[in-house]
Amino acid sequence: SVTGCDVSRMQPDEPKPTASATSAAPAGPAHLAKPKVGECHKLSLKDISAESDTKKPVDCAGKHTTLTIAVVKTPAAAARGSNDAQAYAVGKACGAALNKVLGASAETRAKTLYSLAWFLPTKAQRARGATWLRCDVTLSDQNKAYALTGKIPLLDDGAKGRELRCGRNKPGNRSWEFVPCTTKHQYVVSKFVQADAGTTWKQAPKAAEKACFAERGLFSWSLPEQWGIGDRWYVCWETTAEDDSRNAVT
Protein backbone atom coordinates (compact mmCIF):
# COMPACT_ATOMS: atom_id res chain seq x y z
CA SER A 1 0.00 0.00 0.00
CA VAL A 2 2.62 2.42 -1.01
CA THR A 3 3.49 4.74 -3.82
CA GLY A 4 6.98 5.16 -5.08
CA CYS A 5 8.75 7.86 -6.98
CA ASP A 6 12.39 6.90 -6.66
CA VAL A 7 12.88 4.79 -9.79
CA SER A 8 15.66 2.84 -8.11
CA ARG A 9 13.42 1.75 -5.25
CA MET A 10 9.95 2.23 -6.75
CA GLN A 11 7.01 0.70 -5.00
CA PRO A 12 3.56 0.60 -6.62
CA ASP A 13 0.55 2.16 -4.92
CA GLU A 14 -0.76 -0.98 -3.25
CA PRO A 15 -4.22 -0.46 -1.83
CA LYS A 16 -3.69 0.32 1.81
CA PRO A 17 -5.02 -2.50 3.95
CA THR A 18 -7.56 -1.32 6.46
CA ALA A 19 -9.15 -1.85 9.80
CA SER A 20 -12.92 -2.32 10.30
CA ALA A 21 -15.34 -2.45 13.10
CA THR A 22 -17.19 -4.45 15.70
CA SER A 23 -18.74 -3.52 19.00
CA ALA A 24 -19.68 -5.10 22.25
CA ALA A 25 -22.73 -2.87 22.31
CA PRO A 26 -24.36 -1.63 19.09
CA ALA A 27 -23.76 2.03 18.34
CA GLY A 28 -26.36 2.75 15.68
CA PRO A 29 -27.90 0.37 13.11
CA ALA A 30 -27.82 -3.37 13.79
CA HIS A 31 -25.22 -3.97 11.06
CA LEU A 32 -22.80 -1.80 13.04
CA ALA A 33 -22.81 -4.30 15.89
CA LYS A 34 -19.90 -6.73 16.13
CA PRO A 35 -19.17 -8.11 12.64
CA LYS A 36 -19.48 -11.82 11.90
CA VAL A 37 -17.21 -14.21 10.09
CA GLY A 38 -18.67 -15.10 6.70
CA GLU A 39 -20.26 -11.71 6.03
CA CYS A 40 -19.69 -10.26 2.56
CA HIS A 41 -19.15 -6.62 1.67
CA LYS A 42 -19.32 -4.60 -1.52
CA LEU A 43 -16.56 -2.09 -0.91
CA SER A 44 -14.66 0.20 -3.25
CA LEU A 45 -10.90 0.61 -3.07
CA LYS A 46 -11.48 3.82 -1.09
CA ASP A 47 -13.73 1.95 1.35
CA ILE A 48 -11.10 -0.74 1.79
CA SER A 49 -8.52 1.91 2.61
CA ALA A 50 -10.63 3.41 5.40
CA GLU A 51 -10.04 2.75 9.09
CA SER A 52 -13.65 1.68 9.71
CA ASP A 53 -16.44 0.27 7.57
CA THR A 54 -19.99 1.43 8.25
CA LYS A 55 -21.63 -0.05 5.16
CA LYS A 56 -24.21 -2.80 5.53
CA PRO A 57 -23.04 -6.31 4.55
CA VAL A 58 -24.43 -7.69 1.29
CA ASP A 59 -25.75 -11.07 0.21
CA CYS A 60 -22.77 -13.31 -0.54
CA ALA A 61 -24.68 -14.71 -3.53
CA GLY A 62 -24.35 -11.28 -5.16
CA LYS A 63 -21.32 -9.22 -6.11
CA HIS A 64 -18.97 -8.55 -3.22
CA THR A 65 -15.35 -7.43 -2.96
CA THR A 66 -14.41 -8.50 0.56
CA LEU A 67 -15.26 -11.42 2.82
CA THR A 68 -14.89 -11.31 6.60
CA ILE A 69 -12.60 -14.18 7.57
CA ALA A 70 -11.96 -13.45 11.26
CA VAL A 71 -13.04 -11.14 14.07
CA VAL A 72 -10.42 -10.91 16.81
CA LYS A 73 -9.46 -8.67 19.69
CA THR A 74 -7.45 -5.71 18.42
CA PRO A 75 -3.76 -6.27 19.24
CA ALA A 76 -2.30 -3.40 21.24
CA ALA A 77 0.45 -3.01 18.63
CA ALA A 78 -2.17 -2.49 15.91
CA ALA A 79 -3.07 0.90 17.37
CA ARG A 80 0.35 2.41 17.98
CA GLY A 81 3.67 2.91 16.28
CA SER A 82 4.28 3.28 12.56
CA ASN A 83 1.82 2.16 9.90
CA ASP A 84 4.15 -0.70 9.04
CA ALA A 85 4.34 -1.84 12.67
CA GLN A 86 0.56 -1.72 12.95
CA ALA A 87 0.16 -3.71 9.72
CA TYR A 88 2.64 -6.32 10.99
CA ALA A 89 0.60 -6.75 14.18
CA VAL A 90 -2.63 -7.08 12.22
CA GLY A 91 -1.01 -9.68 9.98
CA LYS A 92 -0.09 -11.77 13.02
CA ALA A 93 -3.67 -11.55 14.31
CA CYS A 94 -5.42 -12.27 11.00
CA GLY A 95 -2.85 -14.42 9.21
CA ALA A 96 -4.04 -17.89 10.11
CA ALA A 97 -7.56 -17.10 8.88
CA LEU A 98 -6.29 -15.55 5.64
CA ASN A 99 -4.06 -18.48 4.77
CA LYS A 100 -6.90 -20.89 5.52
CA VAL A 101 -9.31 -19.02 3.23
CA LEU A 102 -6.77 -18.72 0.43
CA GLY A 103 -5.08 -22.09 0.76
CA ALA A 104 -2.11 -22.95 -1.48
CA SER A 105 1.55 -22.26 -0.75
CA ALA A 106 3.24 -18.98 0.12
CA GLU A 107 4.74 -18.99 -3.38
CA THR A 108 1.31 -19.25 -5.02
CA ARG A 109 -0.16 -16.57 -2.75
CA ALA A 110 2.76 -14.25 -3.54
CA LYS A 111 1.86 -14.32 -7.23
CA THR A 112 -1.72 -13.13 -6.69
CA LEU A 113 -3.60 -9.91 -5.98
CA TYR A 114 -5.25 -11.36 -2.88
CA SER A 115 -4.50 -9.38 0.24
CA LEU A 116 -5.64 -8.65 3.74
CA ALA A 117 -7.99 -5.77 4.58
CA TRP A 118 -8.83 -4.85 8.15
CA PHE A 119 -11.26 -2.56 9.94
CA LEU A 120 -11.48 -1.12 13.45
CA PRO A 121 -14.60 -0.03 15.32
CA THR A 122 -15.74 3.53 14.68
CA LYS A 123 -14.90 6.18 17.24
CA ALA A 124 -18.46 5.90 18.62
CA GLN A 125 -18.16 2.13 18.92
CA ARG A 126 -14.80 2.39 20.66
CA ALA A 127 -16.34 4.86 23.11
CA ARG A 128 -18.88 2.15 23.92
CA GLY A 129 -16.16 -0.40 24.61
CA ALA A 130 -15.67 -2.13 21.24
CA THR A 131 -12.21 -3.68 20.98
CA TRP A 132 -12.54 -6.00 17.98
CA LEU A 133 -10.63 -6.12 14.73
CA ARG A 134 -12.34 -7.29 11.53
CA CYS A 135 -10.16 -9.19 9.07
CA ASP A 136 -11.27 -9.44 5.43
CA VAL A 137 -9.83 -10.97 2.29
CA THR A 138 -9.88 -8.87 -0.86
CA LEU A 139 -8.70 -9.11 -4.47
CA SER A 140 -7.39 -5.64 -5.32
CA ASP A 141 -4.80 -3.75 -7.30
CA GLN A 142 -3.87 -0.06 -7.21
CA ASN A 143 -6.98 0.98 -9.11
CA LYS A 144 -9.85 -1.35 -8.28
CA ALA A 145 -11.29 -3.92 -5.91
CA TYR A 146 -12.47 -6.95 -7.88
CA ALA A 147 -15.42 -9.20 -7.16
CA LEU A 148 -14.60 -12.32 -5.14
CA THR A 149 -15.73 -15.53 -6.80
CA GLY A 150 -15.18 -19.23 -6.31
CA LYS A 151 -15.24 -21.57 -3.37
CA ILE A 152 -13.12 -21.58 -0.24
CA PRO A 153 -10.16 -22.15 -0.27
CA LEU A 154 -10.00 -19.57 -3.05
CA LEU A 155 -6.71 -20.90 -4.41
CA ASP A 156 -7.54 -24.57 -4.01
CA ASP A 157 -7.42 -25.03 -7.79
CA GLY A 158 -4.40 -22.78 -8.25
CA ALA A 159 -4.10 -19.10 -9.19
CA LYS A 160 -5.45 -18.10 -12.58
CA GLY A 161 -6.95 -15.30 -14.63
CA ARG A 162 -7.30 -11.98 -12.89
CA GLU A 163 -6.13 -13.52 -9.60
CA LEU A 164 -2.58 -13.47 -10.96
CA ARG A 165 -0.47 -10.38 -10.34
CA CYS A 166 1.57 -8.71 -13.07
CA GLY A 167 3.18 -5.27 -13.30
CA ARG A 168 2.89 -2.36 -15.68
CA ASN A 169 4.35 1.09 -16.10
CA LYS A 170 2.06 3.93 -15.12
CA PRO A 171 1.20 6.18 -18.04
CA GLY A 172 3.26 9.35 -18.13
CA ASN A 173 5.86 8.45 -15.49
CA ARG A 174 8.39 5.82 -14.53
CA SER A 175 6.61 4.33 -11.54
CA TRP A 176 4.97 0.93 -11.53
CA GLU A 177 1.74 -0.59 -10.37
CA PHE A 178 0.35 -4.08 -10.00
CA VAL A 179 -2.49 -5.22 -12.25
CA PRO A 180 -4.23 -8.50 -13.06
CA CYS A 181 -2.29 -10.50 -15.63
CA THR A 182 -5.43 -10.47 -17.78
CA THR A 183 -4.79 -6.77 -18.54
CA LYS A 184 -1.96 -5.21 -20.53
CA HIS A 185 1.30 -5.45 -18.60
CA GLN A 186 5.07 -5.23 -19.02
CA TYR A 187 6.31 -7.35 -16.11
CA VAL A 188 5.75 -10.92 -14.99
CA VAL A 189 7.09 -12.98 -12.09
CA SER A 190 10.30 -14.80 -12.95
CA LYS A 191 11.39 -16.12 -9.55
CA PHE A 192 10.11 -16.59 -6.00
CA VAL A 193 12.63 -16.46 -3.13
CA GLN A 194 11.83 -17.40 0.45
CA ALA A 195 13.37 -14.95 2.92
CA ASP A 196 16.08 -16.31 5.18
CA ALA A 197 15.05 -17.04 8.75
CA GLY A 198 15.76 -14.08 10.98
CA THR A 199 15.40 -11.48 8.24
CA THR A 200 13.29 -8.57 9.45
CA TRP A 201 10.84 -6.64 7.33
CA LYS A 202 13.09 -3.56 7.49
CA GLN A 203 15.88 -5.66 5.99
CA ALA A 204 13.64 -7.01 3.22
CA PRO A 205 14.25 -4.32 0.54
CA LYS A 206 18.02 -4.83 0.47
CA ALA A 207 17.66 -8.60 0.79
CA ALA A 208 15.19 -8.67 -2.11
CA GLU A 209 17.51 -6.56 -4.27
CA LYS A 210 20.37 -8.96 -3.56
CA ALA A 211 18.23 -12.05 -4.21
CA CYS A 212 17.06 -10.70 -7.56
CA PHE A 213 20.32 -9.15 -8.74
CA ALA A 214 20.72 -11.73 -11.50
CA GLU A 215 17.20 -10.97 -12.70
CA ARG A 216 18.12 -7.43 -13.86
CA GLY A 217 17.42 -6.10 -10.37
CA LEU A 218 13.62 -6.03 -10.72
CA PHE A 219 12.21 -7.08 -7.36
CA SER A 220 9.42 -6.84 -4.80
CA TRP A 221 8.92 -8.11 -1.27
CA SER A 222 5.98 -9.03 0.91
CA LEU A 223 4.12 -6.25 2.69
CA PRO A 224 4.49 -5.78 6.48
CA GLU A 225 1.15 -7.47 7.17
CA GLN A 226 2.28 -10.45 5.06
CA TRP A 227 5.52 -10.51 7.04
CA GLY A 228 3.40 -10.65 10.19
CA ILE A 229 1.38 -13.48 8.69
CA GLY A 230 4.57 -15.43 8.08
CA ASP A 231 4.61 -15.07 4.28
CA ARG A 232 8.13 -13.66 4.00
CA TRP A 233 9.38 -13.64 0.46
CA TYR A 234 10.87 -11.74 -2.44
CA VAL A 235 9.69 -11.85 -6.04
CA CYS A 236 11.95 -11.23 -9.02
CA TRP A 237 10.40 -9.81 -12.19
CA GLU A 238 11.22 -9.94 -15.87
CA THR A 239 9.97 -7.77 -18.68
CA THR A 240 7.55 -8.80 -21.38
CA ALA A 241 8.38 -5.65 -23.36
CA GLU A 242 11.62 -3.73 -23.86
CA ASP A 243 12.33 -1.67 -20.77
CA ASP A 244 15.73 -0.47 -19.65
CA SER A 245 14.70 0.96 -16.28
CA ARG A 246 15.69 -0.64 -12.97
CA ASN A 247 12.97 -0.57 -10.32
CA ALA A 248 11.73 -2.31 -7.24
CA VAL A 249 8.04 -3.01 -6.77
CA THR A 250 6.12 -4.08 -3.69
Side-chain angles (χ1 to χ4, degrees):
S1 295
V2 275
T3 57
C5 23
D6 181 343
V7 295
S8 68
R9 296 293 295 277
M10 209 288 298
Q11 303 182 26
D13 316 318
E14 283 267 342
K16 186 93 174 167
T18 63
S20 153
T22 232
S23 148
H31 72 269
L32 289 181
K34 185 175 180 178
K36 300 177 179 62
V37 172
E39 289 181 332
C40 295
H41 309 269
K42 189 176 180 180
L43 304 179
S44 68
L45 201 58
K46 183 177 180 180
D47 296 329
I48 290 172
S49 299
E51 181 181 67
S52 302
D53 172 30
T54 58
K55 290 189 173 181
K56 188 175 182 179
V58 299
D59 187 342
C60 292
K63 182 179 179 180
H64 57 282
T65 55
T66 80
L67 168 69
T68 299
I69 56 175
V71 180
V72 300
K73 183 177 175 62
T74 301
R80 62 169 183 253
S82 68
N83 288 337
D84 289 345
Q86 292 177 28
Y88 183 94
V90 169
K92 289 185 69 175
C94 302
L98 181 67
N99 286 351
K100 182 177 180 180
V101 165
L102 291 180
S105 64
E107 179 172 357
T108 297
R109 294 192 293 269
K111 296 175 182 178
T112 75
L113 288 170
Y114 285 113
S115 62
L116 179 66
W118 63 93
F119 303 90
L120 296 171
T122 63
K123 184 180 292 186
Q125 290 172 318
R126 292 196 295 269
R128 295 171 67 103
T131 59
W132 46 262
L133 169 74
R134 189 183 109 199
C135 314
D136 285 16
V137 61
T138 181
L139 181 71
S140 307
D141 61 19
Q142 282 73 42
N143 304 297
K144 182 179 179 180
Y146 299 94
L148 294 175
T149 59
K151 298 181 178 179
I152 306 298
L154 293 167
L155 294 174
D156 196 41
D157 56 350
K160 57 188 183 298
R162 68 180 181 187
E163 293 175 317
L164 287 167
R165 180 172 64 163
C166 286
R168 74 176 178 190
N169 295 319
K170 284 188 173 182
N173 60 47
R174 298 188 67 194
S175 61
W176 299 27
E177 62 184 359
F178 290 135
V179 293
C181 290
T182 50
T183 65
K184 185 177 180 179
H185 56 274
Q186 289 82 41
Y187 308 102
V188 294
V189 173
S190 64
K191 183 180 179 182
F192 170 89
V193 181
Q194 187 71 47
D196 290 338
T199 304
T200 67
W201 189 79
K202 288 184 177 181
Q203 296 169 329
K206 287 187 177 180
E209 183 176 20
K210 181 178 179 181
C212 297
F213 182 77
E215 313 292 323
R216 291 187 62 231
L218 302 169
F219 59 95
S220 64
W221 59 95
S222 47
L223 295 168
E225 60 270 22
Q226 293 169 313
W227 215 264
I229 288 168
D231 280 358
R232 304 175 179 185
W233 42 257
Y234 320 123
V235 167
C236 310
W237 299 78
E238 62 184 2
T239 57
T240 59
E242 187 61 32
D243 186 279
D244 295 325
S245 61
R246 182 176 181 276
N247 295 283
V249 290
T250 189

